Amino acid sequence: MPTFEDADFGVTAQGAPTKSQEQKTESSQAVGQNGASLSIPADGHSSENTIEVPASRSSVADVSHYMHNLSLSPSMKERRGSRNSFGTSLPIPKSKRQSRLSSVHYAEGGKPTRPGMPPIQPTRDILAGQVQDLQSEKVKAAKDMAFVFDIDGVLVHGDRLIPEGQRVLEILNGDNELGIKIPHIFLTNGSGKPEQARVDQLSKILHNPISTDQFIQSHTPMRALAEYYKTVLVVGGEGYKCREVAEQYGFQDIVVPNDIVAWDPTIAPYRVFTDAERATSRPRDFSKTNIDAIMVFSDSRDYATDMQIIVDLLRSENGRLGTIAKDPVSQRIPIYFSQGDALCPTEHPIPRMSQGTFRIGLEAMYKALTGVDLERVVYGKPELATYKYADEIITSWMEQIHGEEKLPPHVYMIGDNPASDIIGGNMYGWNTCLVRTGVYQGEGNDKENPASFGVFKNVYEAVTTAIKKELGEDFKFKFDESINPVHHGDGVSAIE
Ligand code: G3P
Ligand code: MG
């Protein structure tokens, strides 16, 4: 399996790390500077449900590259999203859910049974697949490939459909000569609302069914962190949607910036706090509460307030507002970001700043105030943990649609951002396709992070080219019932 090296990202570590990647400290505090590690707490959590994935990045805070040149570098390597503090681990959920077939026992007759449960009924998709198996080797090849879609800039621009995106999903959902589903999942650095709400919105825009079981947004794997921290500050997103996300992930005690402003409005001197916001916030005496970690789940809607509160907490003694730590490193609470994209394609013609630029700003402020680098952890593409989690989701989705819990050997990532989609996919050994409908607008292939399968005008060109490579040049992107009477499912597979 290919691995991520610092050199892959154009990063030179400054000084040797003080801890090995596996080594954990006894507390949640960061240790050391410039090459130090930030370890998740070892105490008080069960590892039954999580896998700790070593961070793939160096010890160097991004800010050092921008301190004397705040304009974005044209180099995609330097624009790429996240460099995690050396030696950190990124916990991910062990599996999205229990395999539906994992409790299947094969009795002597070879019939699958589940003790105490009704017999398994094959889905229409599985039936279709079984019949087709007899007809064509192409079915096997179709199950041996999978697509991983970036969303913004590939399938949609904000709430606006990219029409080729709709057509591609129709093909993959069964409108193809085999009449079967070709496996695909969605892997977005998008964020800010619960998974169900986001897939409902996307299904509507794309006119195709999308299940949460085939969907990963930037903060989805961060549900694993609920086992590690009790009281967390959750930042970003509209209104209180990210509080809702954190609740669904199982975090026990969730604080949002509004709760803190409602407790002490002087903490954010430029904030105009409305009566409605006050009424919906949950103030308490934060001078008596330790916040264990900061989770930036989504883009800040109020940089001034959020940055002030985050910097206050990072400079505090163990997350206690109103204090300033004597040692800015050993008493600092950890901070996590759900993704590191500098830019995001939206309805606006020029891509907008995203969490990566927000983080760079924070790092600069923190360094200016304390003199030390900010150690932090960044999830999302192109971080290794996110790709490992994608494997889990592809595998379980394969089981849902084809009854085969396996990872297809030929995975195609379709993305618009060389600095996250393409570099991450390349490092993980996937075939990568770069499309021109989003962030990337350059000539030819990207110079720093070239897509391994090529550059395409849009997602339709990319997907049909990949399918032809795997299933034959003559493959038809239309289901013809007069030739093949087997109906494919018209929605997400379900036991009938
Ligand atoms: O950069 C923020 C996010 O909206 C990007 O989403 O789908 O392109 O990974 P996506
Ligand atoms: Mg994108």
Side-chain angles (χ1 to χ4, degrees):
M1 176 64 66
T3 54
F4 293 74
E5 302 286 350
D6 286 342
D8 294 323
F9 303 96
V11 174
T12 310
Q14 292 178 348
T18 56
K19 301 269 177 186
S20 75
Q21 291 196 347
E22 287 74 30
Q23 194 174 353
K24 292 177 182 172
T25 57
E26 285 179 1
S27 74
S28 62
Q29 314 316 322
V31 291
Q33 305 176 28
N34 290 338
S37 63
L38 181 153
S39 299
I40 56 174
D43 299 334
H45 83 276
S46 149
S47 61
E48 262 171 39
N49 302 318
T50 61
I51 305 165
E52 291 181 10
V53 182
S56 45
R57 301 311 166 94
S58 83
S59 61
V60 187
D62 275 358
V63 67
S64 56
H65 293 268
Y66 298 103
M67 288 297 273
H68 303 296
N69 178 10
L70 289 176
S71 63
L72 283 175
S73 158
S75 157
M76 281 298 181
K77 267 188 185 164
E78 289 176 29
R79 280 172 60 182
R80 59 86 195 98
S82 55
R83 274 172 292 198
N84 275 318
S85 296
F86 196 91
T88 55
S89 282
L90 283 75
I92 59 172
K94 209 166 237 172
S95 69
K96 179 138 193 216
R97 58 184 170 70
Q98 284 297 309
S99 163
R100 211 173 56 193
L101 300 181
S102 60
S103 57
V104 170
H105 299 281
Y106 291 90
E108 276 131 63
K111 267 195 146 185
T113 58
R114 293 179 296 175
M117 296 188 68
I120 295 168
Q121 300 296 321
T123 66
R124 281 185 293 174
D125 305 298
I126 295 171
L127 269 180
Q130 286 166 349
V131 174
Q132 296 289 348
D133 268 336
L134 303 172
Q135 297 179 348
S136 173
E137 275 298 303
K138 281 185 184 170
V139 170
K140 184 180 175 307
K143 293 176 183 173
D144 273 350
M145 73 182 304
F147 288 97
V148 178
F149 289 107
D150 174 72
I151 291 178
D152 286 311
V154 171
L155 301 172
V156 298
H157 287 135
D159 285 341
R160 202 176 66 224
L161 172 71
I162 296 176
E164 292 82 6
Q166 178 179 341
R167 181 63 199 127
V168 152
L169 295 190
E170 286 163 2
I171 291 169
L172 299 183
N173 280 324
D175 192 12
N176 57 65
E177 71 170 55
L178 298 172
I180 65 168
K181 288 182 193 287
I182 297 174
H184 58 282
I185 68 157
F186 302 86
L187 180 61
T188 177
N189 272 356
S191 60
K193 58 176 73 165
E195 278 70 14
Q196 188 62 59
R198 180 74 170 136
V199 299
D200 287 349
Q201 178 195 17
L202 277 169
S203 300
K204 218 165 142 194
I205 298 171
L206 287 156
H207 302 283
N208 270 274
I210 298 175
S211 163
T212 53
D213 292 343
Q214 62 181 147
F215 179 75
I216 304 168
Q217 54 185 340
S218 60
H219 43 64
T220 306
M222 292 170 76
R223 70 167 60 240
L225 293 169
E227 281 191 12
Y228 295 80
Y229 303 107
K230 184 167 175 286
T231 303
V232 291
L233 177 77
V234 170
V235 178
E238 280 171 29
Y240 296 98
K241 284 188 184 144
C242 282
R243 193 200 300 269
E244 208 183 320
V245 171
E247 280 165 0
Q248 290 187 7
Y249 289 176
F251 285 95
Q252 294 171 50
D253 186 21
I254 303 150
V255 177
V256 299
N258 273 9
D259 303 336
I260 294 169
V261 178
W263 163 64
D264 180 3
T266 66
I267 206 162
Y270 310 117
R271 174 69 178 268
V272 179
F273 203 52
T274 66
D275 289 344
E277 286 170 324
R278 195 178 309 279
T280 49
S281 59
R282 299 177 191 169
R284 70 176 98 152
D285 186 352
F286 285 102
S287 70
K288 296 193 167 67
T289 304
N290 276 29
I291 289 175
D292 299 320
I294 301 165
M295 309 272 152
V296 182
F297 269 7
S298 193
D299 291 299
S300 168
R301 265 47 175 190
D302 179 355
Y303 273 40
T305 300
D306 292 346
M307 283 182 158
Q308 181 68 65
I309 289 173
I310 291 172
V311 169
D312 283 346
L313 278 174
L314 290 172
R315 295 179 67 203
S316 72
E317 275 175 10
N318 304 315
R320 180 72 64 104
L321 285 169
T323 66
I324 295 183
K326 285 173 204 69
D327 178 354
V329 174
S330 69
Q331 294 180 301
R332 184 176 59 209
I333 61 171
I335 180 165
Y336 292 85
F337 295 85
S338 75
Q339 53 103 340
D341 288 351
L343 297 170
C344 173
T346 69
E347 290 95 336
H348 190 78
I350 301 168
R352 303 291 80 196
M353 291 191 294
S354 190
Q355 257 190 67
T357 35
F358 178 79
R359 190 192 71 240
I360 288 163
L362 266 177
E363 289 171 353
M365 292 175 202
Y366 181 82
K367 181 139 191 181
L369 290 169
T370 63
V372 297
D373 279 336
L374 178 61
E375 304 294 334
R376 71 284 182 288
V377 176
V378 186
Y379 277 77
K381 295 171 289 185
E383 181 57 39
L384 175 65
T386 292
Y387 290 79
K388 281 199 180 297
Y389 186 61
D391 273 355
E392 302 266 334
I393 298 306
I394 296 170
T395 307
S396 68
W397 185 245
M398 269 295 290
E399 184 260 308
Q400 274 207 53
I401 64 167
H402 290 307
E404 295 173 24
E405 195 166 4
K406 67 164 197 181
L407 196 57
H410 308 293
V411 178
Y412 288 81
M413 168 94 221
I414 321 278
D416 68 304
N417 190 343
S420 65
D421 309 315
I422 304 305
I423 190 173
N426 285 348
M427 290 299 109
Y428 207 54
W430 290 348
N431 300 294
T432 50
C433 310
L434 179 59
V435 293
R436 292 183 181 284
T437 45
V439 164
Y440 183 68
Q441 302 291 339
E443 288 296 313
N445 209 331
D446 184 62
K447 302 285 175 295
E448 304 293 339
N449 304 300
S452 62
F453 194 63
V455 183
F456 300 89
K457 200 168 98 188
N458 55 48
V459 65
Y460 181 84
E461 300 289 329
V463 165
T464 52
T465 306
I467 291 177
K468 281 179 180 172
K469 175 164 187 271
E470 301 297 334
L471 304 177
E473 280 297 320
D474 60 342
F475 191 81
K476 294 183 187 52
F477 299 103
K478 197 80 204 150
F479 181 64
D480 185 346
E481 261 185 74
S482 65
I483 297 172
N484 182 347
V486 177
H487 292 273
H488 60 79
D490 55 2
V492 169
S493 296
I495 289 183
E496 297 173 329

